[in-house]
Amino acid sequence: MHRKHIIRIIPVLLIFLYSCQSNKNAVEISMKWVKDQPYSYSNIADIETEMNMMGTRQSIEVKTSMYNTLKMLQTDGKQHTVEFKYDSIANVSTLLNGKPNETAAENDMSFINGQSITMQIRDGKIVQVEQNDRLFVSIKDSLQKQIMNELFSAENLNGTLSMYFNLYPEKPVSIGESWTNKLEMKVSSLKLSMKFNYTLKSINEGVAEISFTATSDDKGKMEMNGVEIPVTFKGQQNGTYFVKLDDGVLQSGSATSDFDMSISMAGMELPMKMKVKNEVKKL
C-alpha cells in the first residue's frame, strides 16, 4: 500500500478504535423494576413565591412533605403500568410579607392519604393516568374538583414526577456523556415545555451519579373564568440524581429551581418569581 494512503487511513482507524473503547465502557441505565415490588420514598419540597400586586409585595412559602410508594404492575419492556400510592402528605402555607411566620395555615390533604393512581409510562413520559378520580371523591365543590383533576392529570404529573421516569437515556452511555429529554406539561390550562440535559458524572459501587439542568422559555395562555390570559414563563432547574444500575431505581435526588412568570390581566402585568427546593430519598 502506498505510504500516503496509509497516512490517510491512520486518523480513521484511531477514531474507530476510540469509538469501540467508548462503547466498551458504556453502561445501560434503564427501568428494570421488579414486578409487584414496592419502592417507597420521602419527597420534601419547599416553594417560595413572590409577586407584586398593585404595588404590594406578597411572599408565600409552601412546604410539602410527602411519602409515597411506587409499584410496577406490568410491563412489555416498552410501556410500563405503575401504581403510585400517596402514603401520606402534609402541606403548610405561610404568608411572609417581610414578617416570617406571620400567617401560617395547614392545608388539609388527608383525603389523599392511602389513595393511589395507576399510570401508563412510555419513553419516560406519563401518557395516561387512571383512577385519579378516587383521590378527590370526598370533595363536593365542583371548582375544587376541577382543580384537583388538573393537578393529577398526565400532563401535570409529568412535571411533578419527572425524577422517577424521565431520566433514562435511549442507549448505553459512558461517564461524561450527556443526553436530553423533553417534557410537555399543562398547569391550569397553561401548556409548558422543559428541556432536560442529563450527564453521567460517575459510577460508584453500582450507583450512577447523574447531574442535570432543565430550561423553559414559553409564551402561552391560561384560561380563567372563560377568559384567556397571556402568560410568559421562564425557568431553570439544576440537580443531581443517584440511580442503581442493576434495576434503574432512583436512590436519591435533589434539585433547585428558579422560575419567572408574568401574567397579563386587566391591562396590567403581574410578575411572579418562584424558587423551589426538592429532595427525594428512597426509604
Side-chain angles (χ1 to χ4, degrees), residues 33-39 69-74 81 83:
W33 298 8
V34 177
K35 184 175 178 291
D36 292 327
Q37 178 174 320
Y39 301 98
T69 299
L70 291 88
K71 185 189 297 182
M72 180 179 285
L73 303 180
Q74 63 183 33
T81 303
E83 179 188 70

PDB file of all heavy atoms in Angstrom, residues 33-39 69-74 81 83:
ATOM      1  N   TRP A  33     -37.451  -2.338  36.894  1.00  0.00           N
ATOM      2  CA  TRP A  33     -38.006  -2.553  38.228  1.00  0.00           C
ATOM      3  C   TRP A  33     -38.553  -3.970  38.359  1.00  0.00           C
ATOM      4  O   TRP A  33     -39.039  -4.562  37.396  1.00  0.00           O
ATOM      5  CB  TRP A  33     -39.146  -1.571  38.490  1.00  0.00           C
ATOM      6  CG  TRP A  33     -38.744  -0.131  38.461  1.00  0.00           C
ATOM      7  CD1 TRP A  33     -37.535   0.388  38.088  1.00  0.00           C
ATOM      8  CD2 TRP A  33     -39.560   0.985  38.796  1.00  0.00           C
ATOM      9  NE1 TRP A  33     -37.552   1.754  38.185  1.00  0.00           N
ATOM     10  CE2 TRP A  33     -38.787   2.150  38.615  1.00  0.00           C
ATOM     11  CE3 TRP A  33     -40.869   1.111  39.232  1.00  0.00           C
ATOM     12  CZ2 TRP A  33     -39.282   3.423  38.856  1.00  0.00           C
ATOM     13  CZ3 TRP A  33     -41.372   2.381  39.473  1.00  0.00           C
ATOM     14  CH2 TRP A  33     -40.578   3.519  39.290  1.00  0.00           C
ATOM     15  N   VAL A  34     -38.508  -4.511  39.560  1.00  0.00           N
ATOM     16  CA  VAL A  34     -39.051  -5.832  39.825  1.00  0.00           C
ATOM     17  C   VAL A  34     -40.572  -5.728  39.933  1.00  0.00           C
ATOM     18  O   VAL A  34     -41.100  -4.893  40.683  1.00  0.00           O
ATOM     19  CB  VAL A  34     -38.459  -6.420  41.124  1.00  0.00           C
ATOM     20  CG1 VAL A  34     -39.087  -7.777  41.430  1.00  0.00           C
ATOM     21  CG2 VAL A  34     -36.951  -6.545  40.998  1.00  0.00           C
ATOM     22  N   LYS A  35     -41.267  -6.565  39.187  1.00  0.00           N
ATOM     23  CA  LYS A  35     -42.730  -6.537  39.170  1.00  0.00           C
ATOM     24  C   LYS A  35     -43.299  -6.785  40.569  1.00  0.00           C
ATOM     25  O   LYS A  35     -42.870  -7.686  41.281  1.00  0.00           O
ATOM     26  CB  LYS A  35     -43.248  -7.592  38.187  1.00  0.00           C
ATOM     27  CG  LYS A  35     -44.757  -7.603  37.998  1.00  0.00           C
ATOM     28  CD  LYS A  35     -45.122  -8.613  36.920  1.00  0.00           C
ATOM     29  CE  LYS A  35     -46.633  -8.689  36.723  1.00  0.00           C
ATOM     30  NZ  LYS A  35     -47.328  -9.284  37.869  1.00  0.00           N
ATOM     31  N   ASP A  36     -44.270  -5.936  40.940  1.00  0.00           N
ATOM     32  CA  ASP A  36     -45.004  -6.021  42.213  1.00  0.00           C
ATOM     33  C   ASP A  36     -44.149  -5.728  43.446  1.00  0.00           C
ATOM     34  O   ASP A  36     -44.621  -5.898  44.575  1.00  0.00           O
ATOM     35  CB  ASP A  36     -45.666  -7.398  42.381  1.00  0.00           C
ATOM     36  CG  ASP A  36     -46.798  -7.617  41.388  1.00  0.00           C
ATOM     37  OD1 ASP A  36     -47.473  -6.635  41.048  1.00  0.00           O
ATOM     38  OD2 ASP A  36     -46.987  -8.767  40.955  1.00  0.00           O
ATOM     39  N   GLN A  37     -42.916  -5.291  43.262  1.00  0.00           N
ATOM     40  CA  GLN A  37     -42.085  -4.908  44.417  1.00  0.00           C
ATOM     41  C   GLN A  37     -42.312  -3.438  44.742  1.00  0.00           C
ATOM     42  O   GLN A  37     -42.184  -2.579  43.869  1.00  0.00           O
ATOM     43  CB  GLN A  37     -40.612  -5.156  44.133  1.00  0.00           C
ATOM     44  CG  GLN A  37     -39.695  -4.724  45.295  1.00  0.00           C
ATOM     45  CD  GLN A  37     -38.244  -5.115  45.064  1.00  0.00           C
ATOM     46  OE1 GLN A  37     -37.963  -6.194  44.570  1.00  0.00           O
ATOM     47  NE2 GLN A  37     -37.321  -4.232  45.422  1.00  0.00           N
ATOM     48  N   PRO A  38     -42.642  -3.105  45.998  1.00  0.00           N
ATOM     49  CA  PRO A  38     -42.876  -1.690  46.347  1.00  0.00           C
ATOM     50  C   PRO A  38     -41.560  -0.932  46.528  1.00  0.00           C
ATOM     51  O   PRO A  38     -40.596  -1.454  47.082  1.00  0.00           O
ATOM     52  CB  PRO A  38     -43.641  -1.788  47.669  1.00  0.00           C
ATOM     53  CG  PRO A  38     -43.207  -3.089  48.260  1.00  0.00           C
ATOM     54  CD  PRO A  38     -42.923  -4.026  47.118  1.00  0.00           C
ATOM     55  N   TYR A  39     -41.542   0.306  46.043  1.00  0.00           N
ATOM     56  CA  TYR A  39     -40.405   1.214  46.232  1.00  0.00           C
ATOM     57  C   TYR A  39     -40.949   2.459  46.931  1.00  0.00           C
ATOM     58  O   TYR A  39     -41.741   3.205  46.351  1.00  0.00           O
ATOM     59  CB  TYR A  39     -39.775   1.589  44.891  1.00  0.00           C
ATOM     60  CG  TYR A  39     -39.270   0.395  44.095  1.00  0.00           C
ATOM     61  CD1 TYR A  39     -40.048  -0.150  43.081  1.00  0.00           C
ATOM     62  CD2 TYR A  39     -38.033  -0.178  44.360  1.00  0.00           C
ATOM     63  CE1 TYR A  39     -39.591  -1.242  42.347  1.00  0.00           C
ATOM     64  CE2 TYR A  39     -37.569  -1.262  43.630  1.00  0.00           C
ATOM     65  CZ  TYR A  39     -38.361  -1.793  42.628  1.00  0.00           C
ATOM     66  OH  TYR A  39     -37.908  -2.880  41.909  1.00  0.00           O
ATOM     67  N   THR A  69     -45.335   5.428  47.597  1.00  0.00           N
ATOM     68  CA  THR A  69     -44.837   4.112  47.209  1.00  0.00           C
ATOM     69  C   THR A  69     -45.182   3.846  45.746  1.00  0.00           C
ATOM     70  O   THR A  69     -46.331   4.050  45.331  1.00  0.00           O
ATOM     71  CB  THR A  69     -45.442   3.002  48.091  1.00  0.00           C
ATOM     72  OG1 THR A  69     -45.078   3.231  49.452  1.00  0.00           O
ATOM     73  CG2 THR A  69     -44.935   1.627  47.667  1.00  0.00           C
ATOM     74  N   LEU A  70     -44.185   3.406  44.981  1.00  0.00           N
ATOM     75  CA  LEU A  70     -44.376   3.055  43.585  1.00  0.00           C
ATOM     76  C   LEU A  70     -44.253   1.545  43.418  1.00  0.00           C
ATOM     77  O   LEU A  70     -43.456   0.894  44.094  1.00  0.00           O
ATOM     78  CB  LEU A  70     -43.347   3.745  42.686  1.00  0.00           C
ATOM     79  CG  LEU A  70     -43.459   5.259  42.536  1.00  0.00           C
ATOM     80  CD1 LEU A  70     -42.684   5.968  43.634  1.00  0.00           C
ATOM     81  CD2 LEU A  70     -42.938   5.709  41.172  1.00  0.00           C
ATOM     82  N   LYS A  71     -45.044   1.015  42.479  1.00  0.00           N
ATOM     83  CA  LYS A  71     -45.004  -0.423  42.232  1.00  0.00           C
ATOM     84  C   LYS A  71     -45.307  -0.668  40.755  1.00  0.00           C
ATOM     85  O   LYS A  71     -46.300  -0.169  40.225  1.00  0.00           O
ATOM     86  CB  LYS A  71     -46.034  -1.141  43.104  1.00  0.00           C
ATOM     87  CG  LYS A  71     -45.985  -2.668  43.015  1.00  0.00           C
ATOM     88  CD  LYS A  71     -47.171  -3.301  43.731  1.00  0.00           C
ATOM     89  CE  LYS A  71     -47.156  -2.983  45.219  1.00  0.00           C
ATOM     90  NZ  LYS A  71     -48.301  -3.659  45.910  1.00  0.00           N
ATOM     91  N   MET A  72     -44.424  -1.433  40.063  1.00  0.00           N
ATOM     92  CA  MET A  72     -44.681  -1.779  38.671  1.00  0.00           C
ATOM     93  C   MET A  72     -45.639  -2.969  38.638  1.00  0.00           C
ATOM     94  O   MET A  72     -45.333  -4.048  39.145  1.00  0.00           O
ATOM     95  CB  MET A  72     -43.394  -2.120  37.929  1.00  0.00           C
ATOM     96  CG  MET A  72     -43.641  -2.491  36.475  1.00  0.00           C
ATOM     97  SD  MET A  72     -42.136  -2.878  35.570  1.00  0.00           S
ATOM     98  CE  MET A  72     -41.469  -1.219  35.355  1.00  0.00           C
ATOM     99  N   LEU A  73     -46.799  -2.762  38.026  1.00  0.00           N
ATOM    100  CA  LEU A  73     -47.806  -3.809  37.966  1.00  0.00           C
ATOM    101  C   LEU A  73     -47.593  -4.733  36.776  1.00  0.00           C
ATOM    102  O   LEU A  73     -47.797  -5.946  36.875  1.00  0.00           O
ATOM    103  CB  LEU A  73     -49.202  -3.190  37.907  1.00  0.00           C
ATOM    104  CG  LEU A  73     -49.564  -2.237  39.054  1.00  0.00           C
ATOM    105  CD1 LEU A  73     -50.974  -1.696  38.872  1.00  0.00           C
ATOM    106  CD2 LEU A  73     -49.431  -2.936  40.405  1.00  0.00           C
ATOM    107  N   GLN A  74     -47.181  -4.156  35.649  1.00  0.00           N
ATOM    108  CA  GLN A  74     -46.878  -4.962  34.478  1.00  0.00           C
ATOM    109  C   GLN A  74     -46.085  -4.139  33.480  1.00  0.00           C
ATOM    110  O   GLN A  74     -46.057  -2.907  33.533  1.00  0.00           O
ATOM    111  CB  GLN A  74     -48.154  -5.497  33.823  1.00  0.00           C
ATOM    112  CG  GLN A  74     -49.086  -4.413  33.275  1.00  0.00           C
ATOM    113  CD  GLN A  74     -50.367  -4.987  32.697  1.00  0.00           C
ATOM    114  OE1 GLN A  74     -50.876  -5.998  33.177  1.00  0.00           O
ATOM    115  NE2 GLN A  74     -50.890  -4.360  31.667  1.00  0.00           N
ATOM    116  N   THR A  81     -46.897  -0.180  33.373  1.00  0.00           N
ATOM    117  CA  THR A  81     -48.042   0.186  34.198  1.00  0.00           C
ATOM    118  C   THR A  81     -47.561   0.289  35.637  1.00  0.00           C
ATOM    119  O   THR A  81     -47.116  -0.703  36.222  1.00  0.00           O
ATOM    120  CB  THR A  81     -49.165  -0.860  34.099  1.00  0.00           C
ATOM    121  OG1 THR A  81     -49.545  -1.022  32.727  1.00  0.00           O
ATOM    122  CG2 THR A  81     -50.379  -0.426  34.907  1.00  0.00           C
ATOM    123  N   GLU A  83     -48.220   1.717  39.648  1.00  0.00           N
ATOM    124  CA  GLU A  83     -49.119   2.234  40.681  1.00  0.00           C
ATOM    125  C   GLU A  83     -48.353   3.233  41.544  1.00  0.00           C
ATOM    126  O   GLU A  83     -47.232   2.965  41.970  1.00  0.00           O
ATOM    127  CB  GLU A  83     -49.631   1.095  41.549  1.00  0.00           C
ATOM    128  CG  GLU A  83     -50.556   1.560  42.677  1.00  0.00           C
ATOM    129  CD  GLU A  83     -50.896   0.444  43.641  1.00  0.00           C
ATOM    130  OE1 GLU A  83     -49.990   0.021  44.397  1.00  0.00           O
ATOM    131  OE2 GLU A  83     -52.051  -0.008  43.637  1.00  0.00           O
TER     132      GLU A  83
END
